[in-house]
Amino acid sequence: MSDQSIDTSAVPERAPAGAAYSPLYQQIKGLLLQSLDRGEWKPGEVIPSEFELAARFNVSQGTVRKAIDELAADNLLIRRQGKGTFVATHNEAKVRFRFLRLTPDDGQPSASSSQLIDCRRVKAPADVARLLDLASSESAVNVRRLLSFDAEPTILDDIWLPGAVFKGLTTESLTRYRGPLYAFFESEYGVSMVRAEEKIKAVAATAAQAELLQVAPESPLLQVERVSFTYGDRPMELRRGLYVTNRFHYRNSLN
Amino acid sequence: MSDQSIDTSAVPERAPAGAAYSPLYQQIKGLLLQSLDRGEWKPGEVIPSEFELAARFNVSQGTVRKAIDELAADNLLIRRQGKGTFVATHNEAKVRFRFLRLTPDDGQPSASSSQLIDCRRVKAPADVARLLDLASSESAVNVRRLLSFDAEPTILDDIWLPGAVFKGLTTESLTRYRGPLYAFFESEYGVSMVRAEEKIKAVAATAAQAELLQVAPESPLLQVERVSFTYGDRPMELRRGLYVTNRFHYRNSLN
DNA sequence: GAGTGGTCTAGACCACACG
DNA sequence: GTGTGGTCTAGACCACTCC
């Protein structure tokens, strides 16, 4: 239990003159993030107990606790009293609506289905390359799909992924998978989406969009551009969605 | 410094058999919330130091600290190292954009101006009464205004307030005030907005709306319905906004 | 009962603001 | 220097889960 080989200079030095001061628990948080990033513990798995981690890093349990507290607040870890601390995953029911903010105006549940329109591999367009931090010559995967709720077409998604990371992604593998796309990315490509930024506008439907979504051309649609990030704030997905908001709305909480 | 008259049963009992268990720091948080609600400390003021509060409530400083931590995480309090803990206010620069999520597509700043269209006192319509928890016979204040950025009309707001709370509110007092509306509510009516829920849709501009916003009729607009809450989750404002999103977008972060 | 996270305490020391 | 919040520690005990 003692004499771990991790070390990294046992008791981290405090601000070596002129350097940026960083509290111990922040450093521990950084080390935990590294472990998560490199996949030492996979989504859904338990991480070592607080006392184990405290021994590994040569700090007190309370300091580890504070580091984990912050990671749990960011939804990267999930604490379960009596059981342990787990790596967050996009498979849990409570998290399913963390990224999808569109909800029915009345009542809650509705049967959803996804129809794949297209999946191709192309050189990344300039705007996509910029948002995903890709070199202009790199390849990208483009997925287009239509989501329906209660058999009503509601969301038209145009998704872009870095080709270098999502290697084996094909129409076939996508069609076979059941469940949230982000859970698919986790289990198949080890890519965990941790955070996202959205930019929302109101736009008029083009003829092609109107036909797919079964609304009148020029109908107002909610346009949602989302960039999702993995550990280390690396952009990993660009998703441009068009939402029909006749019977649905985008919900948001301001704190 | 000792022998405070607050008491409330010195050391709170732990779960008196079958009762819901509540940690000490949560109870302290509740007491602090009560003090905030009743205005013991006003927005912008310092609250007593952690040690003072610990003495008052007969708990350790660490326990008070955890209670304050949560209130600070909810943006009700603001900690300033070396100075003290302050009651949050809507006057600070960092908080100005906590509720207004509309930002220019490029660049940051822009001159904003507010034009008051209307301010009247009426019996609350059914839908407004329901959202603001008013009896159907109660009065409400309805404010309409047009916000412009760089002299371009951008936001058309339709605001509803409970008449019983906002007694002296008139066109005149509104016009006189400079700064955010929520700061005005704080200083003039002691109403602090603490949290809000928004429902967003894309809609087509009516003729009247189009004229005010100087866009073509049937133009797509972002419709944002916001309900704001004070302490104790009491709804205190209903705001229906229409945003022109040609050069602006609604930004959101998903965690 | 053993192990895990959750609460509470007490005390020491650090970083920061202000007179 | 004094007072405030911020960090870190060590130890005790509670609540929950699983065997």
Side-chain angles (χ1 to χ4, degrees), chain A residues 5 13 21 48 51 95 114 117-118 120 126 128 137 139-140 158 178 184-185 201 204 218 221 241-242 244 246 251:
Chain A
S5 56
E13 304 298 328
Y21 168 71
F51 279 105
V95 182
S114 169
I117 299 172
D118 196 14
R120 62 211 174 95
V128 173
S137 57
S139 82
D158 186 34
R178 308 266 114 231
F184 175 70
F185 292 163
K201 287 179 175 244
E218 303 298 315
L221 297 175
L242 290 171
V244 179
N246 298 331
R251 75 194 145 74

Side-chain angles (χ1 to χ4, degrees), chain A residues 98 105 198 201 252 255, chain B residues 98 105 198 201 252 255:
Chain A
R98 190 150 67 96
D105 289 344
E198 292 192 332
K201 287 179 175 244
N252 197 22
N255 301 306
Chain B
R98 190 150 67 96
D105 289 343
E198 293 191 332
K201 287 178 176 247
N252 197 22
N255 301 306

